[in-house]
Amino acid sequence: PLPLPLLGNLYLFTEDVKPGYKLWEKLRSQYGPVYTFWISSLPMVLVADWKLIKQHFIKDGGNFAGRPEIPINMEIKKGPYGIVESHGDRWVQQRRFALHVLREFGLGKNLMEE
């Protein structure tokens, strides 16, 4: 869909598409299973077909891994730090560390059996 300056495609959220999933169904029927939706100046590519989702995100997930860099957060934190905003190798290391620590605290263990 055609984005507006500053708003992107947020103008499409109107009363006639409530609940929210109706908008995505409408856009899928109009533009096909893959289309770009703009939130302000941030483009989001939406994939609305199970076979395409499985092909691209499950089989080739590493190629699509990553998170958008939000400029205000980059200014405040001086980089993509933390569990929520990190990506790439830093995210892999933090995830591995968090899972290791949580397993030591008993995540995934049935304490009642012990």
Side-chain angles (χ1 to χ4, degrees):
L2 182 67
L4 295 177
L6 300 176
L7 284 179
N9 294 119
L10 292 176
Y11 68 93
L12 295 172
F13 285 105
T14 59
E15 290 292 322
D16 62 330
V17 293
K18 281 188 175 179
Y21 69 87
K22 287 186 179 181
L23 173 64
W24 309 122
E25 288 178 351
K26 178 181 169 185
L27 292 174
R28 180 178 187 238
S29 66
Q30 190 172 0
Y31 296 105
V34 179
Y35 55 92
T36 304
F37 187 87
W38 290 79
I39 296 180
S40 184
S41 62
L42 182 67
M44 297 174 52
V45 177
L46 289 131
V47 180
D49 181 60
W50 174 246
K51 289 181 181 179
L52 290 174
I53 290 171
K54 189 174 179 182
Q55 176 185 349
H56 292 295
F57 296 117
I58 295 175
K59 294 181 180 176
D60 292 333
N63 294 332
F64 298 100
R67 297 172 190 242
E69 292 184 358
I70 301 170
I72 187 113
N73 290 341
M74 295 299 121
E75 184 66 29
I76 293 170
K77 295 181 180 179
K78 306 296 183 209
Y81 298 109
I83 294 173
V84 175
E85 293 183 1
S86 64
H87 52 81
D89 291 335
R90 180 179 292 139
W91 177 79
V92 171
Q93 291 173 357
Q94 289 182 350
R95 180 179 181 269
R96 189 174 294 138
F97 174 77
L99 287 174
H100 177 74
V101 169
L102 289 172
R103 282 191 187 116
E104 286 182 5
F105 283 121
L107 179 72
K109 295 180 184 176
N110 191 347
L111 298 176
M112 295 300 284
E113 288 179 3
E114 294 177 8

